[in-house]
Amino acid sequence: MTPATSRSMFAVAVVLAGAALAGCSATPPVDATSAPVEASASASPEPAAEPAPATSDPTCDTVLTEEAIARLEADGLEQIDVGASTFYPIADDLIEAGGLACKWGRPSSDATLTVVQLSGIDVASSEWPAALAAAGYAETGDPVPGAHSGPTDPGTGVPSVVVVETDRLTFVSTPLHAIDVAVD
């Protein structure tokens, strides 16, 4: 063998060896029809994503329409703590039963809006229709269908409203804001 042939064969052998080694370290091609490869036991498993609930519980950001919340903010009202009592007995009863309590107010002012929503109930078969009547609420349908107007508040001279739907009750301290209650 001549030195040139020997070098050529050596060069071919090096190239083939390199290609073989590269094939061992490369990721195998993915076949869309093959089953996924299981991770080794030493790899830490990634947490599975939890499915989103079919319906979400209301929050103070969703109990009113987006437009209503924007108007409250434009009027200088911001979310504030409801406190130990809303000063509306039926609203306090709804909170005690597990209802969401929200309150918006203007700093250094007594201008407030209280909204309490108890959802996920069968209103017709519950004790709530009788409780509303006992508290002085009567169905008026004003300003929205299902509205029950309550007794006049001695401090404001305005009656509160409870909007009755098949699966929830929504207390609104100011009747004009009953139209702002978000609908699913």
Side-chain angles (χ1 to χ4, degrees):
M1 226 192 257
T2 64
T5 308
S6 173
R7 278 188 300 225
S8 291
M9 290 182 68
F10 179 73
V12 170
V14 169
V15 169
L16 290 175
L21 288 175
C24 291
S25 65
T27 305
V30 177
D31 180 7
T33 61
S34 67
V37 177
E38 293 294 322
S40 69
S42 65
S44 60
E46 291 192 26
E50 293 185 29
T55 58
S56 59
D57 291 331
T59 67
C60 291
D61 293 329
T62 62
V63 72
L64 299 176
T65 64
E66 289 179 15
E67 295 81 14
I69 291 180
R71 279 193 314 272
L72 291 173
E73 290 173 355
D75 289 343
L77 280 82
E78 56 192 46
Q79 284 188 18
I80 58 175
D81 185 40
V82 173
S85 173
T86 63
F87 302 104
Y88 297 96
I90 197 73
D92 290 338
D93 291 345
L94 291 170
I95 293 169
E96 188 176 312
L100 168 72
C102 305
K103 188 173 187 176
W104 290 266
R106 188 175 297 128
S108 304
S109 169
D110 60 354
T112 62
L113 171 65
T114 302
V115 177
V116 178
Q117 188 173 84
L118 179 63
S119 58
I121 60 172
D122 180 4
V123 174
S125 66
S126 72
E127 72 281 356
W128 290 106
L132 286 172
Y137 286 81
E139 186 172 2
T140 60
D142 184 33
V144 296
H148 289 62
S149 296
T152 301
D153 182 289
T156 64
V158 176
S160 57
V161 170
V162 175
V163 180
V164 178
E165 297 177 69
T166 57
D167 64 342
R168 72 180 135 214
L169 300 167
T170 306
F171 169 88
V172 183
S173 63
T174 307
L176 295 175
H177 286 284
I179 63 172
D180 295 329
V181 174
V183 179
D184 287 335

